[in-house]
């Protein structure tokens, strides 16, 4: 949590989503929670030289519904999102 907060100084400790400080068994899941993406908008925008609005729009475009719309929370596909952010930077 401390490392995450050091890299995301605009985020309060109580706002850090659990999925950002724990890892899946394989560590290969390309998804994070919507909250996990949202709390990183400021850092991502600054690191990529984009506006926070541009980053938030990309997050919104890659929100995925739970399996069959029933099981689990919405999430964001980070791999697809990063590919789009790479294209915006060019």
């Amino acid at each position: 949590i401390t490392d995450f907060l050091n890299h995301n100084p605009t985020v309060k400790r109580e706002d850090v989503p659990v999925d950002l400080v724990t890892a899946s068994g394989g560590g290969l899941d390309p998804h994070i929670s919507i909250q996990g993406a949202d709390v990183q908008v400021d850092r991502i925008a600054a690191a990529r030289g984009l506006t926070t609005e541009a980053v938030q729009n990309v997050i919104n475009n890659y929100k995925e519904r739970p399996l069959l719309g029933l099981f689990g929370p919405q999430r964001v596909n980070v791999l697809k999102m990063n590919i789009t952010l790479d294209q915006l930077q060019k």
Side-chain angles (χ1 to χ4, degrees):
I1 293 174
T2 301
D3 189 46
F4 178 83
L5 292 172
N6 286 337
H7 288 91
N8 297 275
T10 62
V11 178
K12 295 178 188 168
R13 184 177 197 83
E14 61 270 14
D15 294 333
V16 177
V18 172
D19 64 306
L20 295 185
V21 293
T22 59
S24 66
L28 299 174
D29 189 354
H31 298 93
I32 61 173
S33 67
I34 302 298
Q35 183 186 15
D38 287 344
V39 299
Q40 298 182 80
V41 168
D42 291 341
R43 181 186 55 79
I44 293 167
R48 290 181 173 269
L50 300 169
T51 65
T52 56
E53 293 80 13
V55 174
Q56 191 64 60
N57 286 337
V58 172
I59 291 170
N60 291 339
N61 288 334
Y62 286 101
K63 287 181 180 179
E64 296 179 356
R65 295 178 145 281
L67 180 64
L68 303 174
L70 302 171
F71 305 105
Q74 276 193 322
R75 55 196 186 162
V76 176
N77 186 309
V78 176
L79 176 60
K80 291 179 182 178
M81 189 182 80
N82 280 328
I83 291 169
T84 299
L85 289 169
D86 288 344
Q87 293 169 349
L88 289 176
Q89 281 184 268
K90 294 181 181 177

